[in-house]
Amino acid sequence: MEPEIKIRGYHTDFYNHVNNARYLEFFEEGRWQLFEDYLPPEVFTQGKYSFFVVNINLSYMGQAKINDIIVVKSGMLKFGNKSAAFRQQIVKKDSNEIIAQADVTFVVADKSGKALIIEDEIKKMLLNIPPFEN
Amino acid sequence: MEPEIKIRGYHTDFYNHVNNARYLEFFEEGRWQLFEDYLPPEVFTQGKYSFFVVNINLSYMGQAKINDIIVVKSGMLKFGNKSAAFRQQIVKKDSNEIIAQADVTFVVADKSGKALIIEDEIKKMLLNIPPFEN
Amino acid sequence: MEPEIKIRGYHTDFYNHVNNARYLEFFEEGRWQLFEDYLPPEVFTQGKYSFFVVNINLSYMGQAKINDIIVVKSGMLKFGNKSAAFRQQIVKKDSNEIIAQADVTFVVADKSGKALIIEDEIKKMLLNIPPFEN
Amino acid sequence: MEPEIKIRGYHTDFYNHVNNARYLEFFEEGRWQLFEDYLPPEVFTQGKYSFFVVNINLSYMGQAKINDIIVVKSGMLKFGNKSAAFRQQIVKKDSNEIIAQADVTFVVADKSGKALIIEDEIKKMLLNIPPFEN
């Protein structure tokens, strides 16, 4: 379920559009929802794996202003050997205009904090998450 | 040492003044600084006591805008039996105009989370913190 | 419609519960929703009136933690001559436990920023907002 | 003057390190300071030019925790035809360890919001900002 957020005064800044940093909270909200929808709960309840973000490539294509309703779309972008990436977009609900896009590269770590190879059980777990679709 | 903060675009909101919620971060900054300046470090390193805020009475008297430099003033306001209170003010550095005031009532708890009577060692510890002065 | 918010990692702080300042954002969200639900749109589109918060009396009664779902309840608390107040509560959705309460006193100002007497048209407008109910 | 920030409880999140989104506020603070230090004030007072961030490539290399003191370093990274980029780093003050790096690509727009070619007066203005140095 893609989060929908109505833009309020406290989301915006001096320029009367959503502040750069706030977008990262919206994207984080999208990832929490993605995990909730597609990952087995024991990942979280047992703290078996942790996800560490190592890079976010963030593009601002438009502006969200007060009263806009935005939707946070998220999906898998790619798999590497030791990391994988989500793609996320913030789009205006009415026009589908893309406001911001984030490619979020992460590693999966075990309880000791060691980054794991993305294979076998971990790869299978991540394959539950649908690929990003425009 | 009273925290000084220069107001930037990301502190302000739709109304082009500092957002209500942000003031609470400024006041929290003031309390961290107060603790650092006047409480013995073992309170924190050993986690002997915890401070829980139970009430904040927050008055907005003015507006801070971009490029204003504000100062966060903090001190003891009063002692009760099971709680005590700080007074804090955000003032403009140049004019000393009061922008916001917070009376912050807190309890002191032990490691188990139980609220303690404000007497003996705890009272003595809190008496290190100077009273609030206008 | 009372806002419902699922607590995520970014809402919480060092103490693993929702940060004090964040509650003010939740309460602000509740007020935007209240205005949207009960005030005539021309208040906002024509900027005829502005609402300025002058005091928030904020009590923390419990703790919201990650995965909790909270509901922001809001309603009119009282009318004065030059100000009026909302009551707002953040409650846990499942247990109805009150986490935090805010009594928010505000003035209504005209376009020039002058605070107006709460009578006639303004009183009538505010009476559209239901009283706070536990 | 590079901003120095002592990490407090409200900067950190569920994982007890500084939240992803908060870093963007620290980087924004660094850019405001950079502008203040190196750009002519009339850029701002007369609103002659606006800076729009179009991309942030953000790498998280370490973790900042409570009581860490971090420094935000900023400088010019490169010039393009229609855009230019800053590099910014958040480093621990004591160890100089890099915690996060942001390459921030921006356009310069005139009052009408039109992106301008980075040449002549604009290029000269940006050349006042020292190149990023490790």
Side-chain angles (χ1 to χ4, degrees):
Chain A
M1 210 187 55
E2 296 165 340
E4 281 189 20
I5 298 158
K6 183 154 188 177
I7 303 305
R8 307 297 195 178
Y10 65 92
H11 293 127
T12 68
D13 67 11
F14 183 67
Y15 301 102
N16 283 339
H17 53 69
V18 174
N19 181 261
N20 288 356
R22 186 67 72 163
Y23 283 114
L24 279 203
E25 288 194 1
F26 293 168
F27 283 125
E28 186 177 329
E29 181 66 38
R31 295 196 299 277
W32 283 97
Q33 191 63 50
L34 199 69
F35 287 7
E36 204 169 288
D37 290 346
Y38 297 109
L39 295 192
E42 61 267 26
V43 173
F44 302 100
T45 51
Q46 300 170 20
K48 195 171 176 186
Y49 299 122
S50 299
F51 290 75
F52 291 114
V53 172
V54 293
N55 183 272
I56 301 182
N57 194 325
L58 194 56
S59 295
Y60 299 101
M61 287 104 150
Q63 295 180 358
K65 298 195 170 181
I66 202 161
N67 287 328
D68 285 341
I69 298 175
I70 58 99
V71 179
V72 187
K73 299 184 169 186
S74 306
M76 285 301 310
L77 178 66
K78 62 184 173 192
F79 292 94
N81 181 40
K82 289 201 105 179
S83 67
F86 302 122
R87 171 157 291 176
Q88 300 189 277
Q89 284 180 352
I90 289 171
V91 303
K92 284 197 190 170
K93 195 188 176 188
D94 57 359
S95 64
N96 230 25
E97 185 200 346
I98 303 171
I99 299 299
Q101 177 174 292
D103 288 349
V104 179
T105 304
F106 60 95
V107 299
V108 181
D110 62 16
K111 281 185 182 176
S112 74
K114 192 172 159 283
L116 301 165
I117 305 293
I118 310 283
E119 62 180 7
D120 303 336
E121 190 184 282
I122 295 171
K123 179 102 183 234
K124 203 177 142 200
M125 174 181 75
L126 292 175
L127 282 169
N128 287 320
I129 300 174
F132 185 84
E133 279 181 39
N134 270 91
Chain B
M1 210 188 55
E2 298 166 337
E4 281 189 21
I5 299 157
K6 183 155 190 178
I7 304 304
R8 306 298 194 176
Y10 65 92
H11 293 129
T12 69
D13 67 11
F14 183 67
Y15 301 102
N16 283 339
H17 53 69
V18 174
N19 181 261
N20 289 356
R22 186 68 71 165
Y23 283 115
L24 279 203
E25 288 193 1
F26 293 169
F27 284 126
E28 185 177 330
E29 181 65 38
R31 294 196 299 277
W32 283 97
Q33 190 64 50
L34 200 68
F35 288 7
E36 203 169 288
D37 290 346
Y38 298 110
L39 295 191
E42 60 268 26
V43 174
F44 302 100
T45 51
Q46 299 169 20
K48 196 172 176 184
Y49 298 123
S50 299
F51 290 75
F52 291 114
V53 172
V54 293
N55 183 269
I56 301 181
N57 193 327
L58 194 56
S59 295
Y60 299 102
M61 287 105 148
Q63 296 180 357
K65 298 195 170 183
I66 202 162
N67 286 327
D68 285 342
I69 297 174
I70 58 99
V71 179
V72 187
K73 298 184 169 186
S74 306
M76 283 303 308
L77 179 65
K78 62 183 173 192
F79 292 95
N81 182 40
K82 289 200 105 176
S83 66
F86 303 121
R87 172 157 290 176
Q88 300 189 277
Q89 284 180 352
I90 289 169
V91 304
K92 283 196 191 172
K93 194 187 177 188
D94 56 359
S95 63
N96 230 25
E97 184 200 346
I98 303 172
I99 299 299
Q101 178 174 291
D103 287 350
V104 179
T105 305
F106 61 93
V107 297
V108 181
D110 63 14
K111 280 187 184 177
S112 75
K114 193 172 159 283
L116 301 165
I117 306 293
I118 309 284
E119 61 180 8
D120 304 335
E121 189 184 282
I122 295 170
K123 180 103 182 233
K124 202 176 142 200
M125 173 180 77
L126 292 175
L127 283 169
N128 288 320
I129 300 174
F132 184 84
E133 280 181 40
N134 270 92
Chain C
M1 209 186 56
E2 296 165 339
E4 280 189 22
I5 297 158
K6 184 155 189 178
I7 304 305
R8 306 298 194 177
Y10 65 92
H11 294 128
T12 69
D13 67 10
F14 184 67
Y15 301 102
N16 283 339
H17 53 69
V18 174
N19 181 262
N20 288 356
R22 186 68 71 165
Y23 282 113
L24 278 203
E25 288 193 0
F26 293 168
F27 283 126
E28 185 177 331
E29 180 66 37
R31 294 196 300 277
W32 284 97
Q33 190 64 49
L34 200 69
F35 287 7
E36 203 170 287
D37 290 346
Y38 298 109
L39 294 192
E42 60 267 28
V43 174
F44 303 99
T45 52
Q46 299 169 19
K48 195 171 177 185
Y49 298 123
S50 298
F51 290 75
F52 291 115
V53 172
V54 293
N55 183 269
I56 300 181
N57 194 325
L58 194 56
S59 295
Y60 299 102
M61 287 105 149
Q63 296 180 357
K65 298 195 170 181
I66 201 162
N67 287 327
D68 285 341
I69 297 174
I70 58 98
V71 179
V72 186
K73 298 183 169 185
S74 306
M76 284 303 307
L77 179 64
K78 63 183 172 194
F79 292 94
N81 181 40
K82 289 200 106 178
S83 67
F86 303 121
R87 174 158 288 175
Q88 301 189 276
Q89 284 180 351
I90 289 170
V91 303
K92 283 197 191 171
K93 195 188 176 188
D94 57 358
S95 65
N96 231 26
E97 184 201 346
I98 302 171
I99 299 299
Q101 178 174 291
D103 287 350
V104 180
T105 304
F106 61 94
V107 298
V108 181
D110 62 15
K111 279 187 183 177
S112 74
K114 190 172 160 283
L116 302 165
I117 306 293
I118 309 282
E119 61 181 8
D120 303 335
E121 189 184 282
I122 295 171
K123 180 100 182 235
K124 202 177 143 200
M125 174 181 75
L126 292 175
L127 282 169
N128 288 320
I129 300 175
F132 185 83
E133 280 181 39
N134 270 92
Chain D
M1 209 187 55
E2 296 166 338
E4 281 189 21
I5 299 158
K6 184 155 188 178
I7 303 305
R8 306 297 194 178
Y10 65 93
H11 293 127
T12 69
D13 67 10
F14 183 68
Y15 301 102
N16 283 339
H17 52 70
V18 174
N19 181 262
N20 288 355
R22 186 67 72 166
Y23 283 114
L24 278 203
E25 288 193 1
F26 293 168
F27 283 125
E28 186 177 330
E29 180 65 38
R31 294 195 300 276
W32 283 98
Q33 192 62 51
L34 198 69
F35 287 8
E36 204 169 288
D37 290 347
Y38 298 110
L39 296 192
E42 61 267 27
V43 174
F44 303 100
T45 52
Q46 301 170 17
K48 196 171 177 185
Y49 298 123
S50 299
F51 290 76
F52 291 114
V53 171
V54 293
N55 183 269
I56 301 182
N57 193 326
L58 195 55
S59 295
Y60 300 101
M61 286 104 148
Q63 296 180 356
K65 299 195 170 182
I66 203 162
N67 287 327
D68 285 341
I69 297 175
I70 58 97
V71 179
V72 186
K73 299 185 169 184
S74 306
M76 284 303 308
L77 179 64
K78 62 183 172 193
F79 292 94
N81 181 41
K82 289 201 104 179
S83 68
F86 302 122
R87 172 157 290 175
Q88 300 189 277
Q89 284 180 351
I90 290 170
V91 303
K92 285 197 190 171
K93 194 186 177 187
D94 57 358
S95 64
N96 230 24
E97 184 200 347
I98 303 171
I99 299 299
Q101 178 174 290
D103 287 350
V104 179
T105 305
F106 61 94
V107 297
V108 182
D110 62 17
K111 280 187 184 177
S112 73
K114 191 172 160 283
L116 301 165
I117 306 293
I118 309 283
E119 61 181 7
D120 303 334
E121 189 184 282
I122 295 171
K123 180 101 183 234
K124 202 178 143 200
M125 172 181 75
L126 291 175
L127 282 169
N128 288 320
I129 301 175
F132 185 84
E133 280 181 38
N134 271 90

